[in-house]
Amino acid sequence: MPLTRTFSYQSTLPRLPIPTLTETTSRYLKSIVPLVSPTELKITTDYVNDFTKPGGYGEVLQHRLIEHDKEQPHNWLSDWWLKLAYHSWRDASMINSNWYLLVKNHPATPKILLEDSSTHLRQGKFTEFQIKRAAGMISLMLDYKNSIDNGTLPPEKTRAGPVCMHQYTLIFGVTRRPLAGCDENVQSFPATAKHINVLVRDQIYSVDVFDSNTGSRLPISAIESQLQAVVEDVEKSDAQPPICLLTSEHRDSWAKTYRHLKGLDSVNRESFANIESSLFNVSLDDWVVDKSLTGMARNVFHGERGHNRWFEKCISVVFDNSGRCGVNGEHSPLDALVPATMMEECASREPASDPANVSSSFTLNKPFKLKWVTDESVIEDLKKAQSNADRLIADSDVSVLHFTDYGADFIKKFGKVSPDAYVQMCLQLTYYKIHSKFAPVYESASTRQFLHGRTETCRSLSVEQAEFVLGFLNKQKSSLEKYQLLVKAAKAHVEYITSASQGKGCDRHLLGLRCVIKDGEKPHPLFTDRVFKESTHFRLSTSGLFPAKYVLATGFGAVVPDGYGMNYIFQPDHIKMGIESKKSCKETSTLKYKDTLVETFKELGELCKEINPAAKL
C-alpha cells in the first residue's frame, strides 16, 4: 500500500469559511442568555437587529472581510490571530501564555529516583540517568523531525476528513522574538540548524546533534557524551549572567533590553542568532522540587523562580535531576495539541534506540557556552525581572488532578453522552457551586479541517447547560429529570462544538468584523456594550486533549485574573486535568475548585449509574 505523505491533503483542504451575519449574531445572542438580565438581552437584541439590517454597519464590515479573505494566501484569520491573540499581548509569556506538559516516567527509571524521599537527589547535582534519558528523548525527537521533513509522518484525519498539517512545520527551529508593541516569530521549514540549546544553571550551550562534516545524525551515545560535556563544563567555568531570566519579563520591558543587548556587542547578536536558529531547547535542572505531579507541573511551567528556561522557544524539554520529563511550550506558533502528539509518540518509544542509518563513526564539534556582554543597565533589568518573576510565580496556583473513579468508558456507557460534553457540564456545575453564578466558558474547538486552521471558541455555557446546573442543584427535581437535563445540555454542547469546528462559531467572525473597522470609524455599540465584554471574559478557559497514555497532564494559565485555566485528558478509566488560578483573586481557589470538581464527578457518576443501572463496563 503506497505511503500517504504528510502534506498530501494540503492542496485539497477548504479555506476557513466566513459565516453569515445572521448565523453569527443568532449564535451570539443565544450564548449570552444565561449571563444577562431580560433588559440587557433586549438592548443587545436591538443592537444586533441594527447591526444586521440591510445596508447597515454589519453588511459593510462583512463585505470588507470577504474582500480581505480574497487577498490572504491561506485564510482570513491566521495573521490577525497570531498578532492579536499572542504577539501584541504584552503580559509576560511565562504562565500567562506558555503551556506545560508532563511526560510519563521512563520505564527504566531507577527505583531510588521514584521514592518520596529525595535526600539522595542533592540540590545542585545532575544525575547519570537524567542525562541518559535526555539523550534518548533528543534522539526520538530528531526521529520525529525527520519524519516531518521527509513527509513520512502519516497525515491526521478525523470523521470530517483530513486536517491541516501545517502546524507540524512549526515545532522545530521556531523562536518568538521580542519587539516593542508586537513580537514576531523567527522560523524556517525545514529547520536546517544542526544544534540544540541546552540550559544548565542559566548557562546556555550550543550542542550539535548532527555530524560536523557529513550532517548525519549522531548516535544516542554521542548525544549523551555531548550533554555530559555540558554538565562538566558548567561545574568548572565562570558563569555568564542569567540572560534567560529576561524572557520571563513583560514583553515590552524585555523587548527594550533585547534591543539594548543586541546593540552592546556583536557577541550578544551571535548568541541570540544561535538561540533563534536552534532546533529546540533542553533544560537540565540540577534540582527536584517534589515528587508530586503538581510539583512537577509547577517546575516545568516556570522553573525555579523563572530560571533555566528560555520561554520564547517553541519547544523546551525539561528534565529534573530525578529524570522526570516535561515540556514548556511557547503558544504563538502552534496549539499544544500538536507537540503533545509528538511527545506521546516519543514517550511511547522509550527506551530509545538508534535509527538504522546512524553511523558508529562520526565527527562532532564540542558544545560551547553562549557569551553575553552586559552593563549596569542589563544587571538592573535582571534584578527587576527576578522580582517580577517571583511575583508571577507566587500568584500562580497550579494543581494536577488524576480522577481515577472512572473515565471515558464509564461516561459513554452509563452517561450515554459525549465525554467532552459531560466534563464541560461538571466544570460549570462546579463553578456554580462555588460562586453561585455562571461563568462564560472558552473551550478550544479545532478548525484544522481548514487550511492553516487553528481554533474557534466553543461557548460551552448555553441555555441548556444553565438549565442542567440549576436542575441538578434543585432538590425538588427527580433523578430522571436531572439526567434528562444532562442529555439535553450535552446534545446542545455537541452541536455548538461541531459548528465551531466547522468555522461557524461566533467569536472569530466577530473578531474579524472588528478588525476591518477603519481608523477613525466609531465601533458599533454591539462591540462596546457591557454584555459583549462580559461574554468574552472567560472565567473558565478550557481545552480537551486526545486520549493520551504517556502524557500525564497538560495545563496553562487562567486567561482572566478571576478565572481558571484547565486542560483535560480522557483515558478509558480515569481523567487527567491541569488547573490554574491566581492566588491574588479572593474569589478563586484552585484547591477548592479541584476538590469540588471531584465531588461533582462523583455525584454525576452516581446519578448516571442510578438511571442506567443495566449498563456494564
Side-chain angles (χ1 to χ4, degrees):
M1 188 174 180
L3 172 71
T4 304
R5 309 207 44 96
T6 308
F7 305 105
S8 296
Y9 299 113
Q10 291 299 103
S11 62
T12 70
L13 295 174
R15 292 174 68 88
L16 184 70
I18 299 175
T20 67
L21 289 177
T22 300
E23 285 176 320
T24 292
T25 53
S26 296
R27 192 172 293 279
Y28 170 67
L29 279 175
K30 186 176 181 182
S31 76
I32 65 173
V33 172
L35 294 170
V36 300
S37 68
T39 300
E40 288 177 314
L41 182 61
K42 173 65 168 59
I43 293 172
T44 303
T45 302
D46 289 343
Y47 287 153
V48 165
N49 290 336
D50 180 72
F51 185 73
T52 58
K53 67 185 179 184
Y57 200 139
E59 284 197 359
V60 172
L61 297 185
Q62 180 81 341
H63 175 73
R64 289 178 188 171
L65 185 58
I66 292 171
E67 292 303 307
H68 166 82
D69 181 39
K70 294 176 182 178
E71 300 171 356
Q72 304 308 306
H74 304 116
N75 69 54
W76 59 268
L77 177 62
S78 54
D79 287 348
W80 283 336
W81 185 247
L82 183 63
K83 177 180 179 180
L84 297 175
Y86 299 108
H87 285 171
S88 62
W89 190 15
R90 307 319 290 161
D91 288 341
S93 295
M94 182 186 76
I95 297 174
N96 295 312
S97 180
N98 284 36
W99 48 266
Y100 71 85
L101 175 153
L102 310 182
V103 178
K104 189 175 182 179
N105 285 336
H106 190 285
T109 304
K111 289 184 179 180
I112 193 171
L113 297 181
L114 300 176
E115 294 175 356
D116 289 336
S117 172
S118 58
T119 54
H120 57 283
L121 291 174
R122 289 180 291 163
Q123 299 292 84
K125 295 295 181 181
F126 302 96
T127 64
E128 180 182 350
F129 177 76
Q130 172 190 22
I131 295 171
K132 184 178 291 292
R133 187 182 190 189
M137 186 60 76
I138 290 167
S139 181
L140 290 168
M141 291 174 66
L142 294 176
D143 287 346
Y144 203 85
K145 178 183 184 298
N146 187 59
S147 69
I148 297 171
D149 294 350
N150 293 339
T152 57
L153 182 71
E156 295 176 20
K157 288 186 176 182
T158 66
R159 293 177 183 176
V163 302
C164 183
M165 298 295 286
H166 171 66
Q167 290 188 47
Y168 283 89
T169 69
L170 304 175
I171 297 176
F172 298 99
V174 180
T175 311
R176 180 169 172 169
R177 177 186 287 167
L179 297 174
C182 184
D183 297 343
E184 65 181 9
N185 285 340
V186 183
Q187 62 194 65
S188 62
F189 178 77
T192 57
K194 303 301 180 185
H195 71 284
I196 62 173
N197 288 131
V198 177
L199 282 72
V200 289
R201 297 178 182 169
D202 292 329
Q203 309 303 290
I204 307 169
Y205 287 81
S206 180
V207 177
D208 280 2
V209 289
F210 291 86
D211 186 290
S212 304
N213 293 330
T214 66
S216 59
R217 282 276 301 279
L218 292 178
I220 296 172
S221 59
I223 297 175
E224 187 175 341
S225 70
Q226 292 279 75
L227 299 181
Q228 186 61 45
V230 167
V231 168
E232 291 174 358
D233 184 80
V234 83
E235 296 279 6
K236 63 185 180 183
S237 62
D238 294 334
Q240 293 285 298
I243 298 299
C244 58
L245 179 62
L246 293 167
T247 67
S248 71
E249 259 285 34
H250 184 278
R251 301 307 299 167
D252 283 336
S253 299
W254 169 217
K256 181 179 179 182
T257 309
Y258 173 87
R259 185 170 63 249
H260 178 68
L261 278 165
K262 290 190 76 172
L264 268 181
D265 198 283
S266 61
V267 168
N268 295 339
R269 293 192 290 275
E270 291 169 4
S271 293
F272 282 127
N274 185 283
I275 292 168
E276 291 173 353
S277 64
S278 68
L279 298 178
F280 55 90
N281 284 358
V282 171
S283 291
L284 297 178
D285 294 342
D286 59 348
W287 67 78
V288 58
V289 180
D290 64 55
K291 296 299 183 68
S292 70
L293 284 173
T294 293
M296 183 180 176
R298 290 171 179 163
N299 185 53
V300 174
F301 201 23
H302 49 64
E304 192 171 48
R305 302 184 69 198
H307 286 263
N308 216 43
R309 307 283 182 271
W310 194 273
F311 290 103
E312 296 172 335
K313 202 66 183 176
C314 180
I315 298 295
S316 295
V317 192
V318 178
F319 298 88
D320 68 19
N321 65 2
S322 73
R324 296 183 302 175
C325 174
V327 175
N328 185 290
E330 204 285 299
H331 211 161
S332 68
L334 42 69
D335 300 307
L337 173 67
V338 171
T341 302
M342 174 183 70
M343 295 309 296
E344 178 77 0
E345 170 65 19
C346 291
S348 73
R349 294 172 55 200
E350 289 187 300
S353 59
D354 287 325
N357 62 341
V358 169
S359 173
S360 58
S361 61
F362 48 84
T363 304
L364 55 83
N365 294 319
K366 291 183 178 180
F368 64 88
K369 184 191 297 186
L370 303 188
K371 305 295 184 181
W372 303 101
V373 174
T374 62
D375 59 12
E376 291 183 4
S377 172
V378 175
I379 300 304
E380 185 62 30
D381 288 346
L382 280 167
K383 292 178 182 178
K384 293 177 182 176
Q386 185 64 78
S387 176
N388 290 333
D390 289 343
R391 176 180 52 80
L392 282 175
I393 292 169
D395 194 31
S396 179
D397 192 5
V398 175
S399 189
V400 173
L401 167 64
H402 273 200
F403 180 77
T404 57
D405 286 17
Y406 60 79
D409 285 354
F410 175 94
I411 296 170
K412 287 184 282 190
K413 294 181 180 181
F414 285 91
K416 299 186 183 300
V417 296
S418 153
D420 180 73
Y422 181 98
V423 167
Q424 285 291 329
M425 299 308 128
C426 291
L427 297 180
Q428 186 68 245
L429 178 54
T430 297
Y431 186 91
Y432 195 91
K433 283 181 178 180
I434 298 171
H435 301 283
S436 300
K437 62 182 179 181
F438 295 114
V441 184
Y442 178 110
E443 181 185 0
S444 296
S446 173
T447 54
R448 285 178 59 210
Q449 62 180 287
F450 303 104
L451 185 65
H452 286 216
R454 288 192 63 165
T455 61
E456 168 63 278
T457 303
C458 174
R459 293 192 171 203
S460 297
L461 175 60
S462 63
V463 172
E464 295 83 0
Q465 187 183 70
E467 290 174 347
F468 160 72
V469 169
L470 295 177
F472 188 87
L473 296 175
N474 186 345
K475 295 181 180 180
Q476 304 304 314
K477 294 281 187 183
S478 69
S479 295
L480 180 58
E481 289 175 312
K482 294 178 181 181
Y483 176 75
Q484 289 171 336
L485 289 172
L486 168 67
V487 173
K488 182 181 177 183
K491 182 180 179 180
H493 178 81
V494 170
E495 186 279 327
Y496 198 122
I497 199 166
T498 300
S499 296
S501 295
Q502 294 169 345
K504 294 190 175 183
C506 65
D507 286 273
R508 300 297 187 266
H509 187 200
L510 291 173
L511 172 64
L513 294 172
R514 283 181 287 151
C515 284
V516 294
I517 297 174
K518 296 179 180 180
D519 290 343
E521 289 183 343
K522 187 177 180 180
H524 192 275
L526 176 66
F527 299 131
T528 58
D529 75 330
R530 187 202 73 83
V531 170
F532 185 82
K533 183 177 181 180
E534 171 64 17
S535 73
T536 56
H537 189 79
F538 296 113
R539 293 184 180 86
L540 291 178
S541 181
T542 71
S543 181
L545 200 64
F546 58 90
K549 178 180 178 182
Y550 294 90
V551 175
L552 295 176
T554 58
F556 49 84
V559 299
V560 295
D562 56 342
Y564 300 89
M566 57 193 74
N567 191 289
Y568 49 90
I569 301 170
F570 293 108
Q571 280 287 279
D573 59 352
H574 64 281
I575 302 169
K576 300 178 276 193
M577 185 178 296
I579 307 170
E580 200 265 4
S581 66
K582 306 305 179 190
K583 295 179 182 177
S584 57
C585 177
K586 303 305 180 183
E587 298 178 11
T588 59
S589 164
T590 294
L591 180 60
K592 186 173 183 179
Y593 190 93
K594 178 179 174 180
D595 289 345
T596 308
L597 179 60
V598 169
E599 171 191 274
T600 300
F601 279 149
K602 291 181 177 180
E603 291 173 350
L604 194 54
E606 288 300 318
L607 173 68
C608 291
K609 283 197 296 184
E610 179 185 345
I611 298 301
N612 298 305
K616 294 181 180 179
L617 285 176

